[in-house]
Amino acid sequence: MRRIDRDVELWVHGNCYVAALALHRATGWELGGLTAVRSTRRGAQMAHAWVKDPSGRLWDAGGLIDAAEIHAEFITEREKPVTHETARFETWSGEADYMTRHLELAGDWADECRSWFASLEEKAEAMVRDVLLPRHPELAEAARRHAEKTDPWCAESEIEPEPIL
């Protein structure tokens, strides 16, 4: 089992969904989630969320993690057989589809789900910016490249200004 730094523990266990969204916004990387039926009365729920880099590596607030680790950490041996049988990895290329899936899974609690995300988005983005990007150079570089692609004013100008006479 991997060691998770205390300053990101809640962003791995509990707030991973918003952390993944903040990582997606920073890097532009695809979102992923592990869903499973934990309660037959409630239906499928998302057990964990992350982003996937272009080389296929998975990242959450705790850093790099692989699919086997995600399954072992978030679908434990103590889970019901139905949970293991229904566990599946899902991916979304954009925020809209990711949020739609969360709202589907929330069912009658969709409004609460939307409000919960909204209440944590700023904190998650600050955590990514202030903790994860400095800690993980790969994330920082991806965020820099993504910012350049999405905000042309972010990119350094390659054209030398003419001197003023």
Side-chain angles (χ1 to χ4, degrees):
M1 187 123 156
R2 66 186 172 144
R3 183 177 93 46
I4 298 169
D5 294 327
R6 291 181 60 83
D7 59 347
V8 295
E9 196 170 31
L10 285 174
W11 297 105
V12 174
H13 297 282
N15 296 335
C16 63
Y17 321 108
V18 187
L21 182 59
L23 278 167
H24 166 74
R25 288 176 177 170
T27 63
W29 292 346
E30 188 174 62
L31 290 145
L34 174 61
T35 60
V37 174
R38 288 192 156 147
S39 160
T40 52
R41 192 182 87 227
R42 174 125 189 251
Q45 296 173 297
M46 194 169 298
H48 193 58
W50 59 87
V51 293
K52 182 168 81 172
D53 72 21
S55 67
R57 296 178 308 167
L58 309 180
W59 295 81
D60 66 7
L64 274 171
I65 187 168
D66 66 35
E69 288 175 304
I70 290 171
H71 196 279
E73 191 170 335
F74 297 96
I75 306 291
T76 66
E77 292 177 6
R78 295 175 289 158
E79 303 273 1
K80 300 171 188 159
V82 69
T83 303
H84 290 276
E85 293 163 10
T86 60
R88 71 178 214 170
F89 289 87
E90 300 182 39
T91 58
W92 305 273
S93 59
E95 181 176 336
D97 292 336
Y98 177 72
M99 289 307 299
T100 296
R101 182 63 171 140
H102 273 285
L103 297 176
E104 287 170 359
L105 294 170
D108 293 341
W109 295 283
D111 288 339
E112 288 85 350
C113 178
R114 193 178 286 112
S115 295
W116 179 79
F117 265 88
S119 74
L120 291 172
E121 285 177 359
E122 244 179 72
K123 288 178 184 175
E125 289 175 1
M127 181 273 303
V128 167
R129 181 188 64 243
D130 300 338
V131 177
L132 296 185
L133 297 185
R135 187 172 292 166
H136 302 286
E138 301 97 322
L139 294 176
E141 179 60 20
R144 184 193 63 73
R145 284 193 315 266
H146 183 63
E148 286 178 355
K149 268 196 284 187
T150 57
D151 183 0
W153 293 104
C154 237
E156 292 180 355
S157 175
E158 294 180 23
I159 302 169
E160 290 292 320
E162 292 187 29
I164 300 174
L165 299 176

